[in-house]
Structures are given as C-alpha cells and as structure tokens.
C-alpha cells in the first residue's frame, strides 16, 4: 500500500465517520424528548430551521392513516351541519348567482374526537415550531366547493391584532387533495421576514403582488389528502378559484403561544358580535367595521340583505 492509498483510506474513513455522525445526530434529534411537550420530538433541527427560513413547512405523514380518514369524515360532518344560531359559525359566498358554503368555524366543541386530535398531536407540532407551548386560537374549514371563489393575496397577521399576541402559526390540514386546478394555496417563500406589509382595503398592496408575479415568486403548494402545511401569520398567501368539479376542503387551525394567553372564546365572542354568520345577522345592520378585521381578502359578502 502506497502513502497515497493510506491517505485516501484515512480521508474516506473520516468522511464516513462524519456522515455517520450526522445521521446519528439527526436520529437523536428526532427520537429525543421535546423540552416543550415532554414527548418524542416531531421535527428535527433541519425541519425547524427550514420553517424559520421559508416561513412554512409541509409534512405528509404526521397523521396516521386512521387519522387521515377521520379528517375526511369530519369534513363531511362539518359540511352537513345545518345553519344554527349560537353554535358553529357558517359563512357563505355568492358565486355564479348561487349561495355556496364558504367556511365553518367554531365547531370543535361538537366533535370531541376531532378536538382531541387538534389539541393533541397538532398542538404538539405547533409548539415545537413556535419554540414554546402553543394554545388553540381559532379553527375553521374553508370548503372551496366546485366553482368556489378564490382568496386574494394577504397575510393573516393584520386580522390577528385584536388580542395582542406576538406570534401565530396555522396548520392547514388537507381534507381533499389540493392542486392548482381546485385552487390550492400559493405562498411567497421567505417574505415573512419582511414583517407586516401594507393591506389597503384589506388586501395586500397591489404593487407587491404584481412584483412577486413578475419575479415568479408565487409558489403553488399542492397537497395530498391528510398532508399538513404549517405556516406563520406573516407569510403572504392567496388561492385561486376552484375550476374543477371537486371540492378543496381544508382545515385551518391557528395557534398562539400559551404565554400570550388563551383567547379562543374571546375571539369567537367578538367575531359573533361584529361579523356574525348570516343566520345571526340583524336586518339592516351595518357590519362593514367588523369586516375590516374579520373578513380580510375573503369572498364572503360584507352585507347579506
């Protein structure tokens, strides 16, 4: 064996040792207990860094096959709920002259098993991304039925200022497959670092939207049923019209840090008062002020009478 052979053997050994060290560190990171939840960690350091850098993270297998099936079954049940005052909150859009159910909120009390999933595994995942224990702020299903309208470009943060929380992270849980044809979410990677951006009239400033279009920065996030997109409230996003004959039902479950307080009940009390669902509205009452907070970039009519 020559000196060069010995050198190459040492280099290969060192390279293999470093590779194995990285593998061991990644396995240890995933298998170790989270200092936040006290349970096995869901995300490794690489995933956490990716979330911090990009403003979003996609997971395909956080939910088990049984849980993915439950997500679809509960979406069916939530869609079938009757319009009822004082309980779940349903909002409609008018598309093609038809009244379509756009969104249902405030429903977890009526589905204990779904509530347990959201306040369990999903809360643990969000806690790791926030870096401290998370608490549920609000939940909704956007149905985007066949022919349903899209949502204009916006950040969520301007709609979350009422209770002065510092941070919010949302889990978009796909009940249906989300693709370009049925109006999947589109995001601008990394723009969360720009902070809260101007929203004249409740929508992101047109010049910014057009600038990102010219720069081809809008990315379509296509998801299989049961996959989850985690994103922060400062990430610009939008979605197009559902041009398919399929629904694009997706849960949007939003959390803030526990240290900022539990405001879920206060949120729905305030929203029910300022921008209630159709079934609870007082004829002739003006809800435009409430819409400035609770109807940003949505296809939901401000006035329904």
């Amino acid at each position: 064996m020559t000196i060069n052979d010995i050198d190459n053997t040492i280099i290969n050994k060192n390279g293999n040792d470093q590779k194995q060290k990285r593998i061991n560190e990644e396995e240890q990171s995933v298998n170790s207990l989270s200092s936040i939840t006290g349970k096995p960690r869901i995300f490794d350091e690489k995933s956490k860094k990716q979330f911090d850098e990009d403003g979003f993270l996609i997971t395909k297998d956080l939910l088990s096959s049984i849980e993915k099936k439950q997500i679809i079954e509960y979406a069916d049940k939530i869609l079938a709920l009757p319009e009822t005052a004082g309980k779940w909150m349903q909002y409609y859009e008018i598309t093609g002259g038809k009244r379509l159910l756009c969104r249902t909120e405030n429903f977890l009390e009526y589905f204990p098993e779904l509530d347990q999933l959201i306040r369990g595994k999903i809360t643990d995942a969000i806690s790791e991304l926030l870096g401290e224990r998370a608490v549920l702020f609000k939940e909704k299903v956007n149905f985007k039925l066949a022919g349903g309208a899209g949502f204009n470009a916006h950040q969520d943060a301007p709609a979350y200022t009422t209770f002065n929380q510092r941070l919010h992270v949302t889990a978009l849980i796909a009940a249906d497959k989300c693709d370009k044809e049925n109006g999947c979410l589109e995001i601008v990677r990394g723009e969360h670092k720009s902070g809260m951006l101007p929203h004249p009239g409740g929508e992101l400033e047109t010049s910014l939207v057009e600038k990102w279009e010219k720069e081809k920065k809008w990315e379509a996030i296509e998801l299989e049923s049961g996959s989850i997109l985690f994103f922060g409230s400062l990430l610009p996003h939008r979605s197009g019209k559902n041009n398919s004959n399929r629904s694009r039902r997706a849960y949007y479950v939003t959390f803030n840090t526990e240290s900022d307080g539990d405001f879920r009940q206060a949120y729905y009390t305030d929203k029910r008062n300022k921008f209630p669902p159709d079934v609870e509205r007082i004829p002739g009452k003006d809800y435009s002020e409430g819409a400035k907070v609770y109807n940003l970039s949505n296809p939901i009519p401000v006035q329904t009478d």
Side-chain angles (χ1 to χ4, degrees):
M1 181 178 291
T2 67
I3 292 176
N4 286 338
D5 290 335
I6 294 172
D7 289 342
N8 288 335
T9 299
I10 293 172
I11 291 171
N12 290 335
K13 182 179 184 302
N14 289 339
N16 289 335
D17 288 346
Q18 290 296 322
K19 182 178 180 181
Q20 187 60 50
K21 182 180 179 181
R22 286 196 300 271
I23 292 173
N24 291 340
E25 287 175 347
E26 289 175 3
E27 289 178 347
Q28 184 178 7
S29 175
V30 173
N31 294 330
S32 63
L33 294 180
S34 166
S35 60
I36 301 167
T37 66
K39 302 174 185 177
R41 291 184 61 173
I42 295 171
F43 301 116
D44 58 22
E45 287 300 322
K46 182 179 178 181
S47 297
K48 179 63 168 63
K49 288 179 181 177
Q50 181 184 338
F51 176 79
D52 292 339
E53 182 66 23
D54 295 340
F56 71 97
L57 182 69
I58 299 170
T59 61
K60 297 180 180 180
D61 298 312
L62 178 59
L63 300 180
S64 68
S65 58
I66 293 175
E67 289 167 339
K68 289 179 180 180
K69 184 179 178 181
Q70 290 174 333
I71 286 295
I72 297 172
E73 291 172 349
Y74 280 113
D76 293 337
K77 293 177 180 178
I78 295 166
L79 178 61
L81 289 170
E83 279 192 89
T84 306
K87 292 187 176 181
W88 45 83
M89 301 166 70
Q90 295 164 310
Y91 294 87
Y92 290 79
E93 62 182 275
I94 305 298
T95 300
K98 296 181 179 179
R99 185 172 182 259
L100 290 179
L101 183 60
C102 177
R103 169 183 298 164
T104 299
E105 301 189 45
N106 191 34
F107 49 77
L108 285 180
E109 288 91 335
Y110 309 99
F111 301 102
E113 192 172 357
L114 178 61
D115 183 71
Q116 184 177 6
L117 174 61
I118 297 301
R119 295 182 190 271
K121 183 181 290 187
I122 303 301
T123 301
D124 291 342
I126 296 279
S127 297
E128 290 189 17
L129 295 176
L130 281 171
E132 59 179 285
R133 192 64 192 171
V135 63
L136 180 65
F137 180 47
K138 58 193 284 284
E139 79 277 355
K140 66 187 178 187
V141 175
N142 282 353
F143 294 102
K144 196 174 281 196
L145 303 174
F151 292 71
N152 293 329
H154 64 284
Q155 296 171 305
D156 289 337
Y160 297 164
T161 57
T162 304
F163 303 102
N164 298 314
Q165 303 109 311
R166 295 166 297 154
L167 301 168
H168 295 86
V169 174
T170 293
L172 185 168
I173 309 171
D176 300 315
K177 181 179 181 179
C178 303
D179 54 37
K180 295 176 184 177
E181 187 183 16
N182 68 1
C184 67
L185 209 70
E186 300 174 22
I187 60 89
V188 185
R189 185 187 300 262
E191 278 296 331
H192 63 297
K193 297 176 183 177
S194 299
M196 196 179 298
L197 300 168
H199 283 70
E203 298 175 8
L204 258 174
E205 195 168 80
T206 303
S207 61
L208 286 174
V209 177
E210 292 176 347
K211 174 178 178 290
W212 295 328
E213 286 173 350
K214 289 178 182 177
E215 296 172 349
K216 301 187 184 303
K217 285 189 174 182
W218 285 104
E219 298 180 47
I221 305 297
E222 297 189 302
L223 301 170
E224 293 297 325
S225 176
S227 293
I228 303 176
L229 167 68
F230 296 97
F231 65 98
S233 58
L234 290 172
L235 184 73
H237 57 283
R238 67 182 183 183
S239 66
K241 178 182 177 181
N242 185 347
N243 293 309
S244 75
N245 59 3
R246 301 169 285 121
S247 61
R248 194 230 65 178
R249 300 172 300 174
Y251 298 79
Y252 289 77
V253 191
T254 301
F255 296 78
N256 60 263
T257 58
E258 189 176 63
S259 61
D260 278 345
D262 184 348
F263 294 103
R264 181 177 175 274
Q265 191 59 53
Y267 173 86
Y268 282 121
T269 298
D270 193 57
K271 181 168 186 175
R272 196 183 291 277
N273 178 51
K274 295 178 180 177
F275 195 71
D278 292 357
V279 71
E280 298 179 29
R281 294 195 177 189
I282 300 170
K285 184 172 181 178
D286 184 2
Y287 293 102
S288 57
E289 281 302 309
K292 291 178 182 178
V293 175
Y294 292 116
N295 200 36
L296 294 179
S297 301
N298 294 325
I300 300 163
V302 175
Q303 301 298 129
T304 57
D305 57 331

